[in-house]
Amino acid sequence: MKSAVETLNPTRVRLTVEVPFEELKDSLDAAYKKINQQVTVKGFRKGKIPARVIDQRFGRGAVLEEAVNDALPKFYTEAVNEAELAVLGQPEVDITELKDGETLNFTAEVDIRPALEIPDFSGIEVEVDAVEVSDEDVEKSVEQLRERFASTSPVERAAEDGDVVTIDLQAKVDGEVLEDGVAEGVSYTIGSGELLDGIDEAVKGLEAGGEATFTSELKGGSAAGRESEVTVKVTQVAARELPELDDEFAQLASEFDTLDELKADSRKRLENMKQYDQATQAQERVLEKLLELVEVPVPEKLLEDEINTRKHNLEHHQLGQMGLDLAKYLEIQGKTEEEFDAETNEAAVKGIKTQFVLDELVKRENLNVNQEELTEHLMRRAASSGMSPDQFAQAVVEGGQVPLLVGEVARGKALALVVEAATVKDTNGEIVDLDDEEEAEEAAAETVEAAEADVEEKPEA
């Protein structure tokens, strides 16, 4: 077999392959054997029909077609490996010549990973938010904890902000009560914004037994997004009573003995959260700077597939679960279809570039992923998916997704390497030291996932 490679553009090549006919012998034998098992000829036992009889009865062309279909993948793969190409997706194959007993010639056009030059990235500088926790932040955190331990008691007065009301609801569209538009005994805190727009104004001022009607756009159900006439009846008004902020509350709500200890712990937790947010911000901004440094050609077919995948996942999974279609989603977002397409295209390009650049760094720096790193990443992904680690692991293995997870971890390590070499300062001008290597790599892996989003690995030969 002889092969040659023609570069069509930085992300696409054409392979020209010439195969001497004798190299088709195994595939021809397999073709005769397969046809032997599928046909019957009077006077011959099944599977014992001579090749010349098959040629006479069914045509040599049918045999050649079966043999070529069997042989093409093998010769294509050999040509790819010989040229050391990192191919993406499936090739477009064209048989240019097939002469019985002489030769098989074909071409294969396929997308490839572009050759990238990663420049020195040690000069990257980014600015991130400073980690600052104010007394007001601590008070707000403690107040949220206090809210969780609030008690309620029924009152005989009109409902006010902050009260918990028990209500019955009935929604009508075009004068008809919806099958899924009736609910009874719903507990609602006035001012929480957890139900329908307009409900706070409707129930405030009502006592138990009071009723009001208002118009609101339904957020879910069979008539999601449509205007509805909603009738709400208050069956009970209860006042919320917050516990006193003292040492007794600290002992009730935490493992601490004093309120001061509880507040100190809240401050520490807020600092840790802000430090993690700061690390994630550093990863995102360093990644943006890195992508600006590298010229990355994007294969047209890969980009087209990626855009279609993102749109499909949004329309048929995310929006479908919310009872919305794309038109309604764009209306809520205040975007035109052209703006949405432009944003989707930009995100897809960034995802593909991120994968290409970080994969090149993984290769250049010989970064490996060990079992412990993969297990930790799998457990985090399982938690975010709402599945148990065992369920998630089983789904990953059955779906052949293990290489994808390994790639995510490896690219996270590559990005962490770049962040380590970069200069990161906060808004106060202080150098930020992201010195926890394990946390930095995990945060980087999350940043990579967010950037790549739905980018699908295309099979390589």
Side-chain angles (χ1 to χ4, degrees), residues 159-173:
E160 302 173 355
D161 269 328
D163 285 345
V164 178
V165 289
T166 303
I167 54 178
D168 296 336
L169 293 165
Q170 184 186 80
K172 292 181 180 179
V173 172

Side-chain angles (χ1 to χ4, degrees), residues 237-248:
V237 179
R240 299 177 74 249
E241 298 175 0
L242 298 175
E244 292 293 327
L245 277 179
D246 52 23
D247 292 347
E248 186 176 338

Side-chain angles (χ1 to χ4, degrees), residues 7 15 19 34 46 52 55 67 126-127 183 206 234 261 293 299 303 340-341 363 383 387-388 390 405 407 422 453:
T7 300
L15 286 162
V19 183
K34 182 176 180 180
K46 196 174 185 68
R52 60 178 175 78
D55 289 346
V126 297
E127 184 180 74
L206 294 181
V234 176
E261 289 174 331
L293 290 177
L303 178 59
F340 169 74
D341 287 343
K363 179 180 175 183
M387 300 169 69
S388 72
D390 288 344
L405 288 189

